[in-house]
PDB file of all heavy atoms in Angstrom:
ATOM      1  N   THR A   1      -1.514   3.305 -20.377  1.00 98.00           N
ATOM      2  CA  THR A   1      -0.488   2.318 -20.075  1.00 98.00           C
ATOM      3  C   THR A   1      -1.014   0.900 -20.146  1.00 98.00           C
ATOM      4  O   THR A   1      -2.208   0.642 -19.958  1.00 98.00           O
ATOM      5  CB  THR A   1       0.109   2.549 -18.675  1.00 98.00           C
ATOM      6  OG1 THR A   1      -0.926   2.396 -17.701  1.00 98.00           O
ATOM      7  CG2 THR A   1       0.717   3.927 -18.566  1.00 98.00           C
ATOM      8  N   ASN A   2      -0.096  -0.007 -20.445  1.00 98.00           N
ATOM      9  CA  ASN A   2      -0.375  -1.434 -20.438  1.00 98.00           C
ATOM     10  C   ASN A   2       0.810  -2.095 -19.759  1.00 98.00           C
ATOM     11  O   ASN A   2       1.930  -2.031 -20.266  1.00 98.00           O
ATOM     12  CB  ASN A   2      -0.532  -1.962 -21.871  1.00 98.00           C
ATOM     13  CG  ASN A   2      -0.793  -3.448 -21.898  1.00 98.00           C
ATOM     14  OD1 ASN A   2      -1.335  -4.011 -20.957  1.00 98.00           O
ATOM     15  ND2 ASN A   2      -0.410  -4.105 -22.991  1.00 98.00           N
ATOM     16  N   ILE A   3       0.551  -2.684 -18.596  1.00 98.00           N
ATOM     17  CA  ILE A   3       1.640  -3.270 -17.816  1.00 98.00           C
ATOM     18  C   ILE A   3       1.419  -4.766 -17.697  1.00 98.00           C
ATOM     19  O   ILE A   3       0.329  -5.218 -17.356  1.00 98.00           O
ATOM     20  CB  ILE A   3       1.723  -2.607 -16.430  1.00 98.00           C
ATOM     21  CG1 ILE A   3       2.009  -1.112 -16.604  1.00 98.00           C
ATOM     22  CG2 ILE A   3       2.802  -3.256 -15.575  1.00 98.00           C
ATOM     23  CD1 ILE A   3       2.024  -0.308 -15.319  1.00 98.00           C
ATOM     24  N   ALA A   4       2.474  -5.524 -17.959  1.00 98.00           N
ATOM     25  CA  ALA A   4       2.375  -6.977 -17.925  1.00 98.00           C
ATOM     26  C   ALA A   4       2.028  -7.475 -16.527  1.00 98.00           C
ATOM     27  O   ALA A   4       2.446  -6.898 -15.521  1.00 98.00           O
ATOM     28  CB  ALA A   4       3.689  -7.599 -18.393  1.00 98.00           C
ATOM     29  N   GLU A   5       1.291  -8.563 -16.502  1.00 97.00           N
ATOM     30  CA  GLU A   5       0.876  -9.129 -15.229  1.00 97.00           C
ATOM     31  C   GLU A   5       2.082  -9.492 -14.369  1.00 97.00           C
ATOM     32  O   GLU A   5       2.037  -9.347 -13.142  1.00 97.00           O
ATOM     33  CB  GLU A   5       0.020 -10.371 -15.479  1.00 97.00           C
ATOM     34  CG  GLU A   5      -0.556 -10.993 -14.217  1.00 97.00           C
ATOM     35  CD  GLU A   5      -1.477 -12.162 -14.524  1.00 97.00           C
ATOM     36  OE1 GLU A   5      -1.889 -12.313 -15.684  1.00 97.00           O
ATOM     37  OE2 GLU A   5      -1.778 -12.926 -13.587  1.00 97.00           O
ATOM     38  N   ALA A   6       3.157  -9.927 -14.990  1.00 96.00           N
ATOM     39  CA  ALA A   6       4.335 -10.365 -14.234  1.00 96.00           C
ATOM     40  C   ALA A   6       4.967  -9.248 -13.418  1.00 96.00           C
ATOM     41  O   ALA A   6       5.663  -9.510 -12.424  1.00 96.00           O
ATOM     42  CB  ALA A   6       5.369 -10.954 -15.186  1.00 96.00           C
ATOM     43  N   VAL A   7       4.731  -7.998 -13.809  1.00 97.00           N
ATOM     44  CA  VAL A   7       5.333  -6.876 -13.097  1.00 97.00           C
ATOM     45  C   VAL A   7       4.307  -5.917 -12.524  1.00 97.00           C
ATOM     46  O   VAL A   7       4.664  -4.897 -11.932  1.00 97.00           O
ATOM     47  CB  VAL A   7       6.321  -6.109 -13.999  1.00 97.00           C
ATOM     48  CG1 VAL A   7       7.445  -7.034 -14.458  1.00 97.00           C
ATOM     49  CG2 VAL A   7       5.610  -5.492 -15.178  1.00 97.00           C
ATOM     50  N   THR A   8       3.050  -6.229 -12.676  1.00 96.00           N
ATOM     51  CA  THR A   8       1.991  -5.366 -12.136  1.00 96.00           C
ATOM     52  C   THR A   8       2.155  -5.213 -10.634  1.00 96.00           C
ATOM     53  O   THR A   8       2.374  -6.190  -9.909  1.00 96.00           O
ATOM     54  CB  THR A   8       0.611  -5.962 -12.460  1.00 96.00           C
ATOM     55  OG1 THR A   8       0.423  -5.947 -13.874  1.00 96.00           O
ATOM     56  CG2 THR A   8      -0.493  -5.148 -11.810  1.00 96.00           C
ATOM     57  N   GLY A   9       2.052  -3.975 -10.187  1.00 96.00           N
ATOM     58  CA  GLY A   9       2.208  -3.689  -8.763  1.00 96.00           C
ATOM     59  C   GLY A   9       3.650  -3.445  -8.365  1.00 96.00           C
ATOM     60  O   GLY A   9       3.925  -2.967  -7.251  1.00 96.00           O
ATOM     61  N   ARG A  10       4.571  -3.775  -9.265  1.00 97.00           N
ATOM     62  CA  ARG A  10       6.004  -3.566  -8.973  1.00 97.00           C
ATOM     63  C   ARG A  10       6.656  -2.576  -9.932  1.00 97.00           C
ATOM     64  O   ARG A  10       7.752  -2.081  -9.652  1.00 97.00           O
ATOM     65  CB  ARG A  10       6.754  -4.905  -9.062  1.00 97.00           C
ATOM     66  CG  ARG A  10       6.247  -5.976  -8.108  1.00 97.00           C
ATOM     67  CD  ARG A  10       7.167  -7.181  -8.096  1.00 97.00           C
ATOM     68  NE  ARG A  10       7.195  -7.892  -9.357  1.00 97.00           N
ATOM     69  CZ  ARG A  10       8.308  -8.130 -10.067  1.00 97.00           C
ATOM     70  NH1 ARG A  10       9.479  -7.675  -9.637  1.00 97.00           N
ATOM     71  NH2 ARG A  10       8.237  -8.821 -11.193  1.00 97.00           N
ATOM     72  N   SER A  11       5.997  -2.309 -11.031  1.00 97.00           N
ATOM     73  CA  SER A  11       6.587  -1.452 -12.044  1.00 97.00           C
ATOM     74  C   SER A  11       5.631  -0.379 -12.515  1.00 97.00           C
ATOM     75  O   SER A  11       4.414  -0.612 -12.561  1.00 97.00           O
ATOM     76  CB  SER A  11       7.021  -2.298 -13.250  1.00 97.00           C
ATOM     77  OG  SER A  11       8.030  -3.216 -12.890  1.00 97.00           O
ATOM     78  N   THR A  12       6.196   0.757 -12.845  1.00 97.00           N
ATOM     79  CA  THR A  12       5.426   1.833 -13.454  1.00 97.00           C
ATOM     80  C   THR A  12       6.153   2.291 -14.708  1.00 97.00           C
ATOM     81  O   THR A  12       7.361   2.058 -14.870  1.00 97.00           O
ATOM     82  CB  THR A  12       5.261   3.024 -12.497  1.00 97.00           C
ATOM     83  OG1 THR A  12       6.558   3.508 -12.137  1.00 97.00           O
ATOM     84  CG2 THR A  12       4.502   2.623 -11.232  1.00 97.00           C
ATOM     85  N   ILE A  13       5.423   2.937 -15.595  1.00 98.00           N
ATOM     86  CA  ILE A  13       6.015   3.454 -16.822  1.00 98.00           C
ATOM     87  C   ILE A  13       5.595   4.904 -16.987  1.00 98.00           C
ATOM     88  O   ILE A  13       4.452   5.269 -16.654  1.00 98.00           O
ATOM     89  CB  ILE A  13       5.619   2.600 -18.046  1.00 98.00           C
ATOM     90  CG1 ILE A  13       6.384   3.046 -19.291  1.00 98.00           C
ATOM     91  CG2 ILE A  13       4.112   2.603 -18.267  1.00 98.00           C
ATOM     92  CD1 ILE A  13       6.255   2.081 -20.461  1.00 98.00           C
ATOM     93  N   SER A  14       6.502   5.712 -17.480  1.00 98.00           N
ATOM     94  CA  SER A  14       6.199   7.118 -17.700  1.00 98.00           C
ATOM     95  C   SER A  14       6.858   7.568 -18.985  1.00 98.00           C
ATOM     96  O   SER A  14       7.790   6.926 -19.487  1.00 98.00           O
ATOM     97  CB  SER A  14       6.687   7.957 -16.512  1.00 98.00           C
ATOM     98  OG  SER A  14       8.088   7.819 -16.337  1.00 98.00           O
ATOM     99  N   ARG A  15       6.380   8.700 -19.464  1.00 97.00           N
ATOM    100  CA  ARG A  15       6.854   9.166 -20.770  1.00 97.00           C
ATOM    101  C   ARG A  15       6.854  10.684 -20.779  1.00 97.00           C
ATOM    102  O   ARG A  15       5.970  11.323 -20.210  1.00 97.00           O
ATOM    103  CB  ARG A  15       5.918   8.621 -21.852  1.00 97.00           C
ATOM    104  CG  ARG A  15       6.194   9.061 -23.257  1.00 97.00           C
ATOM    105  CD  ARG A  15       5.271   8.306 -24.199  1.00 97.00           C
ATOM    106  NE  ARG A  15       5.446   8.757 -25.568  1.00 97.00           N
ATOM    107  CZ  ARG A  15       4.872   8.182 -26.615  1.00 97.00           C
ATOM    108  NH1 ARG A  15       4.101   7.116 -26.443  1.00 97.00           N
ATOM    109  NH2 ARG A  15       5.070   8.652 -27.825  1.00 97.00           N
ATOM    110  N   ASP A  16       7.842  11.234 -21.452  1.00 97.00           N
ATOM    111  CA  ASP A  16       7.913  12.678 -21.669  1.00 97.00           C
ATOM    112  C   ASP A  16       7.948  12.899 -23.175  1.00 97.00           C
ATOM    113  O   ASP A  16       8.984  12.686 -23.818  1.00 97.00           O
ATOM    114  CB  ASP A  16       9.165  13.243 -20.985  1.00 97.00           C
ATOM    115  CG  ASP A  16       9.218  14.763 -21.038  1.00 97.00           C
ATOM    116  OD1 ASP A  16       8.720  15.350 -22.024  1.00 97.00           O
ATOM    117  OD2 ASP A  16       9.760  15.360 -20.107  1.00 97.00           O
ATOM    118  N   ASN A  17       6.841  13.290 -23.725  1.00 95.00           N
ATOM    119  CA  ASN A  17       6.754  13.460 -25.186  1.00 95.00           C
ATOM    120  C   ASN A  17       7.658  14.592 -25.684  1.00 95.00           C
ATOM    121  O   ASN A  17       8.202  14.512 -26.781  1.00 95.00           O
ATOM    122  CB  ASN A  17       5.315  13.718 -25.599  1.00 95.00           C
ATOM    123  CG  ASN A  17       4.428  12.506 -25.393  1.00 95.00           C
ATOM    124  OD1 ASN A  17       4.870  11.372 -25.546  1.00 95.00           O
ATOM    125  ND2 ASN A  17       3.174  12.746 -25.037  1.00 95.00           N
ATOM    126  N   ALA A  18       7.802  15.612 -24.889  1.00 95.00           N
ATOM    127  CA  ALA A  18       8.638  16.738 -25.302  1.00 95.00           C
ATOM    128  C   ALA A  18      10.110  16.342 -25.383  1.00 95.00           C
ATOM    129  O   ALA A  18      10.851  16.848 -26.224  1.00 95.00           O
ATOM    130  CB  ALA A  18       8.467  17.890 -24.336  1.00 95.00           C
ATOM    131  N   LYS A  19      10.524  15.450 -24.505  1.00 96.00           N
ATOM    132  CA  LYS A  19      11.920  15.015 -24.477  1.00 96.00           C
ATOM    133  C   LYS A  19      12.139  13.688 -25.195  1.00 96.00           C
ATOM    134  O   LYS A  19      13.255  13.199 -25.277  1.00 96.00           O
ATOM    135  CB  LYS A  19      12.399  14.896 -23.032  1.00 96.00           C
ATOM    136  CG  LYS A  19      12.417  16.216 -22.290  1.00 96.00           C
ATOM    137  CD  LYS A  19      12.934  16.039 -20.862  1.00 96.00           C
ATOM    138  CE  LYS A  19      12.964  17.373 -20.134  1.00 96.00           C
ATOM    139  NZ  LYS A  19      13.451  17.232 -18.741  1.00 96.00           N
ATOM    140  N   ASN A  20      11.046  13.107 -25.679  1.00 96.00           N
ATOM    141  CA  ASN A  20      11.122  11.823 -26.390  1.00 96.00           C
ATOM    142  C   ASN A  20      11.765  10.732 -25.538  1.00 96.00           C
ATOM    143  O   ASN A  20      12.651   9.984 -25.986  1.00 96.00           O
ATOM    144  CB  ASN A  20      11.897  11.974 -27.705  1.00 96.00           C
ATOM    145  CG  ASN A  20      11.216  12.914 -28.670  1.00 96.00           C
ATOM    146  OD1 ASN A  20      10.027  12.785 -28.925  1.00 96.00           O
ATOM    147  ND2 ASN A  20      11.964  13.873 -29.179  1.00 96.00           N
ATOM    148  N   THR A  21      11.341  10.670 -24.313  1.00 97.00           N
ATOM    149  CA  THR A  21      11.876   9.678 -23.398  1.00 97.00           C
ATOM    150  C   THR A  21      10.761   8.811 -22.820  1.00 97.00           C
ATOM    151  O   THR A  21       9.611   9.249 -22.701  1.00 97.00           O
ATOM    152  CB  THR A  21      12.644  10.314 -22.239  1.00 97.00           C
ATOM    153  OG1 THR A  21      11.764  11.169 -21.505  1.00 97.00           O
ATOM    154  CG2 THR A  21      13.839  11.118 -22.742  1.00 97.00           C
ATOM    155  N   VAL A  22      11.130   7.612 -22.475  1.00 98.00           N
ATOM    156  CA  VAL A  22      10.238   6.706 -21.762  1.00 98.00           C
ATOM    157  C   VAL A  22      11.060   6.019 -20.677  1.00 98.00           C
ATOM    158  O   VAL A  22      12.223   5.666 -20.898  1.00 98.00           O
ATOM    159  CB  VAL A  22       9.581   5.683 -22.703  1.00 98.00           C
ATOM    160  CG1 VAL A  22      10.610   4.784 -23.376  1.00 98.00           C
ATOM    161  CG2 VAL A  22       8.546   4.853 -21.954  1.00 98.00           C
ATOM    162  N   SER A  23      10.464   5.883 -19.518  1.00 98.00           N
ATOM    163  CA  SER A  23      11.169   5.281 -18.387  1.00 98.00           C
ATOM    164  C   SER A  23      10.271   4.278 -17.684  1.00 98.00           C
ATOM    165  O   SER A  23       9.040   4.412 -17.721  1.00 98.00           O
ATOM    166  CB  SER A  23      11.593   6.356 -17.387  1.00 98.00           C
ATOM    167  OG  SER A  23      12.476   7.287 -17.978  1.00 98.00           O
ATOM    168  N   THR A  24      10.908   3.320 -17.055  1.00 98.00           N
ATOM    169  CA  THR A  24      10.161   2.401 -16.223  1.00 98.00           C
ATOM    170  C   THR A  24      10.870   2.257 -14.880  1.00 98.00           C
ATOM    171  O   THR A  24      12.092   2.098 -14.844  1.00 98.00           O
ATOM    172  CB  THR A  24       9.966   1.026 -16.895  1.00 98.00           C
ATOM    173  OG1 THR A  24       9.156   0.206 -16.051  1.00 98.00           O
ATOM    174  CG2 THR A  24      11.280   0.326 -17.166  1.00 98.00           C
ATOM    175  N   GLN A  25      10.127   2.367 -13.836  1.00 97.00           N
ATOM    176  CA  GLN A  25      10.635   2.187 -12.483  1.00 97.00           C
ATOM    177  C   GLN A  25      10.240   0.792 -12.022  1.00 97.00           C
ATOM    178  O   GLN A  25       9.055   0.459 -12.022  1.00 97.00           O
ATOM    179  CB  GLN A  25      10.046   3.235 -11.544  1.00 97.00           C
ATOM    180  CG  GLN A  25      10.425   3.063 -10.078  1.00 97.00           C
ATOM    181  CD  GLN A  25      11.887   3.386  -9.827  1.00 97.00           C
ATOM    182  OE1 GLN A  25      12.435   4.296 -10.418  1.00 97.00           O
ATOM    183  NE2 GLN A  25      12.518   2.627  -8.933  1.00 97.00           N
ATOM    184  N   MET A  26      11.226   0.001 -11.686  1.00 97.00           N
ATOM    185  CA  MET A  26      10.950  -1.370 -11.273  1.00 97.00           C
ATOM    186  C   MET A  26      11.358  -1.557  -9.819  1.00 97.00           C
ATOM    187  O   MET A  26      12.507  -1.311  -9.451  1.00 97.00           O
ATOM    188  CB  MET A  26      11.712  -2.352 -12.162  1.00 97.00           C
ATOM    189  CG  MET A  26      11.361  -2.225 -13.639  1.00 97.00           C
ATOM    190  SD  MET A  26      12.101  -3.518 -14.648  1.00 97.00           S
ATOM    191  CE  MET A  26      13.826  -3.143 -14.404  1.00 97.00           C
ATOM    192  N   ASN A  27      10.429  -1.987  -9.010  1.00 98.00           N
ATOM    193  CA  ASN A  27      10.646  -2.174  -7.580  1.00 98.00           C
ATOM    194  C   ASN A  27      10.459  -3.649  -7.199  1.00 98.00           C
ATOM    195  O   ASN A  27       9.928  -4.436  -7.985  1.00 98.00           O
ATOM    196  CB  ASN A  27       9.666  -1.310  -6.788  1.00 98.00           C
ATOM    197  CG  ASN A  27       9.764   0.150  -7.139  1.00 98.00           C
ATOM    198  OD1 ASN A  27      10.860   0.703  -7.297  1.00 98.00           O
ATOM    199  ND2 ASN A  27       8.614   0.796  -7.283  1.00 98.00           N
ATOM    200  N   SER A  28      10.910  -3.966  -6.016  1.00 98.00           N
ATOM    201  CA  SER A  28      10.765  -5.336  -5.491  1.00 98.00           C
ATOM    202  C   SER A  28      11.232  -6.367  -6.527  1.00 98.00           C
ATOM    203  O   SER A  28      10.541  -7.347  -6.813  1.00 98.00           O
ATOM    204  CB  SER A  28       9.301  -5.604  -5.110  1.00 98.00           C
ATOM    205  OG  SER A  28       8.856  -4.687  -4.152  1.00 98.00           O
ATOM    206  N   LEU A  29      12.396  -6.118  -7.072  1.00 98.00           N
ATOM    207  CA  LEU A  29      12.906  -6.968  -8.139  1.00 98.00           C
ATOM    208  C   LEU A  29      13.179  -8.382  -7.639  1.00 98.00           C
ATOM    209  O   LEU A  29      13.580  -8.590  -6.486  1.00 98.00           O
ATOM    210  CB  LEU A  29      14.163  -6.360  -8.743  1.00 98.00           C
ATOM    211  CG  LEU A  29      13.900  -5.160  -9.652  1.00 98.00           C
ATOM    212  CD1 LEU A  29      15.161  -4.346  -9.863  1.00 98.00           C
ATOM    213  CD2 LEU A  29      13.317  -5.618 -10.977  1.00 98.00           C
ATOM    214  N   LYS A  30      12.945  -9.331  -8.544  1.00 97.00           N
ATOM    215  CA  LYS A  30      13.119 -10.744  -8.253  1.00 97.00           C
ATOM    216  C   LYS A  30      14.174 -11.323  -9.199  1.00 97.00           C
ATOM    217  O   LYS A  30      14.379 -10.782 -10.295  1.00 97.00           O
ATOM    218  CB  LYS A  30      11.809 -11.485  -8.452  1.00 97.00           C
ATOM    219  CG  LYS A  30      10.617 -10.921  -7.704  1.00 97.00           C
ATOM    220  CD  LYS A  30       9.341 -11.636  -8.098  1.00 97.00           C
ATOM    221  CE  LYS A  30       8.131 -11.032  -7.395  1.00 97.00           C
ATOM    222  NZ  LYS A  30       6.879 -11.730  -7.784  1.00 97.00           N
ATOM    223  N   PRO A  31      14.813 -12.422  -8.808  1.00 97.00           N
ATOM    224  CA  PRO A  31      15.789 -13.035  -9.724  1.00 97.00           C
ATOM    225  C   PRO A  31      15.199 -13.346 -11.109  1.00 97.00           C
ATOM    226  O   PRO A  31      15.901 -13.250 -12.110  1.00 97.00           O
ATOM    227  CB  PRO A  31      16.194 -14.309  -8.977  1.00 97.00           C
ATOM    228  CG  PRO A  31      16.039 -13.948  -7.535  1.00 97.00           C
ATOM    229  CD  PRO A  31      14.823 -13.067  -7.491  1.00 97.00           C
ATOM    230  N   GLU A  32      13.929 -13.671 -11.141  1.00 96.00           N
ATOM    231  CA  GLU A  32      13.298 -13.966 -12.433  1.00 96.00           C
ATOM    232  C   GLU A  32      13.086 -12.736 -13.303  1.00 96.00           C
ATOM    233  O   GLU A  32      12.673 -12.850 -14.461  1.00 96.00           O
ATOM    234  CB  GLU A  32      11.969 -14.700 -12.240  1.00 96.00           C
ATOM    235  CG  GLU A  32      11.019 -14.042 -11.257  1.00 96.00           C
ATOM    236  CD  GLU A  32      11.116 -14.658  -9.871  1.00 96.00           C
ATOM    237  OE1 GLU A  32      12.254 -14.877  -9.377  1.00 96.00           O
ATOM    238  OE2 GLU A  32      10.043 -14.892  -9.260  1.00 96.00           O
ATOM    239  N   ASP A  33      13.365 -11.573 -12.778  1.00 97.00           N
ATOM    240  CA  ASP A  33      13.336 -10.355 -13.589  1.00 97.00           C
ATOM    241  C   ASP A  33      14.623 -10.172 -14.376  1.00 97.00           C
ATOM    242  O   ASP A  33      14.720  -9.261 -15.204  1.00 97.00           O
ATOM    243  CB  ASP A  33      13.108  -9.123 -12.706  1.00 97.00           C
ATOM    244  CG  ASP A  33      11.735  -9.104 -12.063  1.00 97.00           C
ATOM    245  OD1 ASP A  33      10.753  -9.439 -12.755  1.00 97.00           O
ATOM    246  OD2 ASP A  33      11.652  -8.750 -10.864  1.00 97.00           O
ATOM    247  N   THR A  34      15.607 -11.017 -14.132  1.00 97.00           N
ATOM    248  CA  THR A  34      16.872 -10.937 -14.861  1.00 97.00           C
ATOM    249  C   THR A  34      16.634 -11.151 -16.344  1.00 97.00           C
ATOM    250  O   THR A  34      16.041 -12.146 -16.763  1.00 97.00           O
ATOM    251  CB  THR A  34      17.856 -11.990 -14.326  1.00 97.00           C
ATOM    252  OG1 THR A  34      18.185 -11.672 -12.968  1.00 97.00           O
ATOM    253  CG2 THR A  34      19.127 -12.023 -15.171  1.00 97.00           C
ATOM    254  N   ALA A  35      17.091 -10.195 -17.148  1.00 98.00           N
ATOM    255  CA  ALA A  35      16.875 -10.254 -18.594  1.00 98.00           C
ATOM    256  C   ALA A  35      17.534  -9.049 -19.256  1.00 98.00           C
ATOM    257  O   ALA A  35      17.944  -8.107 -18.583  1.00 98.00           O
ATOM    258  CB  ALA A  35      15.383 -10.257 -18.915  1.00 98.00           C
ATOM    259  N   PHE A  36      17.600  -9.120 -20.567  1.00 98.00           N
ATOM    260  CA  PHE A  36      17.895  -7.917 -21.343  1.00 98.00           C
ATOM    261  C   PHE A  36      16.584  -7.168 -21.519  1.00 98.00           C
ATOM    262  O   PHE A  36      15.561  -7.763 -21.883  1.00 98.00           O
ATOM    263  CB  PHE A  36      18.482  -8.287 -22.708  1.00 98.00           C
ATOM    264  CG  PHE A  36      19.952  -8.550 -22.664  1.00 98.00           C
ATOM    265  CD1 PHE A  36      20.436  -9.839 -22.535  1.00 98.00           C
ATOM    266  CD2 PHE A  36      20.858  -7.501 -22.747  1.00 98.00           C
ATOM    267  CE1 PHE A  36      21.798 -10.089 -22.487  1.00 98.00           C
ATOM    268  CE2 PHE A  36      22.224  -7.741 -22.707  1.00 98.00           C
ATOM    269  CZ  PHE A  36      22.692  -9.034 -22.575  1.00 98.00           C
TER     270      PHE A  36
END
């Protein structure tokens, strides 16, 4: 994994190769996290 400094400690990323999915769990969200 490679996690941006801006979200380090607040976000995790996971992947299921068999299902071809990737997910990110974002916690302690801030207004500056607003984005597409």
Side-chain angles (χ1 to χ4, degrees):
T1 62
N2 179 27
I3 299 176
E5 184 176 345
V7 300
T8 295
R10 301 189 294 123
S11 296
T12 59
I13 187 169
S14 60
R15 177 174 177 173
D16 187 328
N17 291 326
K19 296 181 179 180
N20 297 310
T21 60
V22 62
S23 299
T24 183
Q25 176 70 37
M26 301 187 297
N27 303 317
S28 302
L29 285 162
K30 307 174 182 180
E32 51 263 46
D33 293 318
T34 295
F36 277 95

